[in-house]
Amino acid sequence: HGEDEGLMFHLFDADSSNTLDKKEFGLLLQATLNAKLMTILEDSTGSKYLEEHMQMEQNIEALNFWKAARKYFEEGKDMDSEKRLAEALKIYRNFVRAGSPDEINISYSIRTKISKALEPFHKAARSEKESKDVGSGGEDAKEKESKEGITFTVFERARKEVLKLIRNDVFYRFQRRKEILESMRDELWNELDRNSDGQATWEEYTDFIDKHQGLLEPMREINTETGVLSTFRARGNTGGRDLPESPCAGRQIGSLSKTQTQTPRPWTSSATGAKSPRWRAGSETVFV
C-alpha cells in the first residue's frame, strides 16, 4: 500500500499505538466528510446514508437525477442514436420536463435548452400511430440527423447545477445530522474492526481502504497541494525525526522533500509540534 494509506493511518493514530480505536477512526471519517462531497457520493456506504438523509428531507429526486445523468454521460457515448434518445427521454420525462413526477430544481435557461432538444421527440412518441410508422417505414435522413443531435452531454449543465445545489445546501445539513453520521460511522467501524476488539490494525485498515478508496481522495489532494507528508514528518509526533515504519509495507511513509514546509490547512500544530495533528472541526458534527 502507498504513502496515502500510511499518512491517513499515522495521522489519526493519536497515541502512536499502530492501531486505530473507534474515536480515532471517527476523527478520520469526520476529516473526510468535511473535505469533499464526492467522497460520499463515490462510496457505497456514504452514498446510502446521504440518500437516507435526502429522503427524510424529501429532495431525493436531485440525487436520483444526478446518478441517472451521470450514468447516461458515461454510457451514452457508446450507444447508438436510437438507444441514446430512448435513455435521454426517460431522464427527461422523470426529472426535467415541467410537471414531471420527480421534477428537479434547475434554472429556467437550462430546462428550456433541454426541453427544446427533447420535447419534440417526447410528443412524437406519445402518438402510437407515429411510433408504428417509424418502426415499419424507417426514418428519413432529417429525422435520423435530429436523433443523432441528442448527444451524451445533453444533461451535463443540469447535472453540474444539481451537484452544486447538493453540495451547498443538502450536504451542509447532512454534515450536521449527528444521528445519521454516527450510524454511518458505526457501520463502517464494524466493517473495519473485523476482530471486534475495539482496535483496528494496519492490516484491517488496508483491507478496509481497498474497499473504500474514495475515503483517501481528500488526503491525496491535500498531500498534493500542501506537501503535508513532509510537514508531518518534520513537525509531527517525532519532533522532526522520521516517522515509524509502516507495519504493513515495511518502509517509512513519505518521500517528499523536507524543503516543502507549507503548513497544511486541515489541521493545526503548535510551534513546538503537537503530539498529533487535530482536525479543525469548527461547527461540524464531531464523532466521539
Side-chain angles (χ1 to χ4, degrees):
H1 287 79
E3 63 186 23
D4 291 313
E5 287 93 336
L7 175 60
M8 288 283 276
F9 187 87
H10 285 289
L11 198 58
F12 290 93
D13 178 17
D15 56 3
S16 301
S17 63
N18 281 332
T19 61
L20 296 178
D21 60 27
K22 192 173 184 179
K23 182 176 181 180
E24 290 168 338
F25 175 71
L27 291 171
L28 183 156
L29 184 59
Q30 187 64 51
T32 300
L33 285 174
N34 290 346
K36 199 173 183 183
L37 167 63
M38 288 304 296
T39 299
I40 297 299
L41 291 175
E42 298 285 0
D43 185 81
S44 58
T45 304
S47 180
K48 180 182 73 173
Y49 280 96
L50 179 61
E51 183 175 337
E52 179 183 331
H53 168 73
M54 294 182 71
Q55 285 175 336
M56 293 173 66
E57 288 198 337
Q58 298 184 343
N59 53 21
I60 189 62
E61 69 279 352
L63 182 59
N64 289 340
F65 166 76
W66 182 86
K67 290 180 178 180
R70 186 189 193 192
K71 182 179 180 182
Y72 176 82
F73 175 76
E74 293 173 347
E75 300 178 1
K77 61 187 75 174
D78 298 322
M79 297 177 185
D80 59 44
S81 59
E82 196 76 35
K83 181 170 177 57
R84 188 164 56 242
L85 174 61
E87 293 300 316
L89 283 175
K90 287 180 185 178
I91 296 173
Y92 175 64
R93 290 165 180 157
N94 285 334
F95 301 106
V96 180
R97 192 171 187 268
S100 56
D102 296 312
E103 184 177 348
I104 55 173
N105 181 20
I106 54 176
S107 67
Y108 174 81
S109 61
I110 292 178
R111 193 186 307 275
T112 299
K113 185 173 182 179
I114 296 174
S115 297
K116 186 177 180 180
L118 292 173
E119 183 66 17
F121 294 105
H122 167 74
K123 289 181 177 178
R126 292 177 62 184
S127 171
E128 184 178 354
K129 181 178 181 304
E130 289 180 358
S131 297
K132 288 180 179 179
D133 288 345
V134 170
S136 60
E139 58 186 8
D140 57 30
K142 184 176 181 181
E143 184 178 358
K144 183 176 181 181
E145 181 181 355
S146 180
K147 286 183 178 180
E148 291 177 348
I150 305 302
T151 70
F152 64 93
T153 63
V154 67
F155 299 112
E156 279 306 280
R157 286 184 62 195
R159 182 167 74 99
K160 291 176 181 177
E161 185 169 81
V162 166
L163 182 62
K164 184 178 179 179
L165 288 172
I166 294 175
R167 179 187 298 115
N168 295 341
D169 188 24
V170 176
F171 189 55
Y172 176 84
R173 293 191 298 274
F174 173 76
Q175 290 174 305
R176 287 154 179 77
R177 289 293 298 274
K178 184 176 181 180
E179 68 280 6
I180 287 184
L181 296 183
E182 288 184 345
S183 294
M184 182 173 69
R185 187 262 327 258
D186 291 345
E187 180 174 337
L188 289 170
W189 172 254
N190 290 336
E191 182 182 345
L192 170 62
D193 183 22
R194 296 195 308 263
N195 296 329
S196 301
D197 59 1
Q199 299 290 326
T201 65
W202 172 261
E203 289 75 15
E204 289 175 321
Y205 170 77
T206 52
D207 288 345
F208 172 83
I209 286 297
D210 282 342
K211 300 175 184 177
H212 298 274
Q213 280 291 317
L215 294 178
L216 285 179
E217 191 57 35
M219 186 57 62
R220 291 191 182 103
E221 293 187 3
I222 291 167
N223 188 16
T224 299
E225 291 176 4
T226 68
V228 65
L229 205 57
S230 58
T231 303
F232 183 56
R233 296 173 75 192
R235 301 183 180 181
N237 310 41
T238 56
R241 298 189 300 276
D242 284 337
L243 288 171
E245 293 185 352
S246 160
C248 178
R251 60 180 176 82
Q252 293 172 355
I253 63 170
S255 58
L256 299 178
S257 168
K258 288 188 178 181
T259 59
Q260 296 174 283
T261 57
Q262 181 179 353
T263 302
R265 291 191 299 271
W267 43 82
T268 59
S269 60
S270 66
T272 58
K275 183 175 181 181
S276 65
R278 298 296 186 189
W279 183 256
R280 192 181 309 155
S283 59
E284 288 83 359
T285 298
V286 177
F287 298 120
V288 294

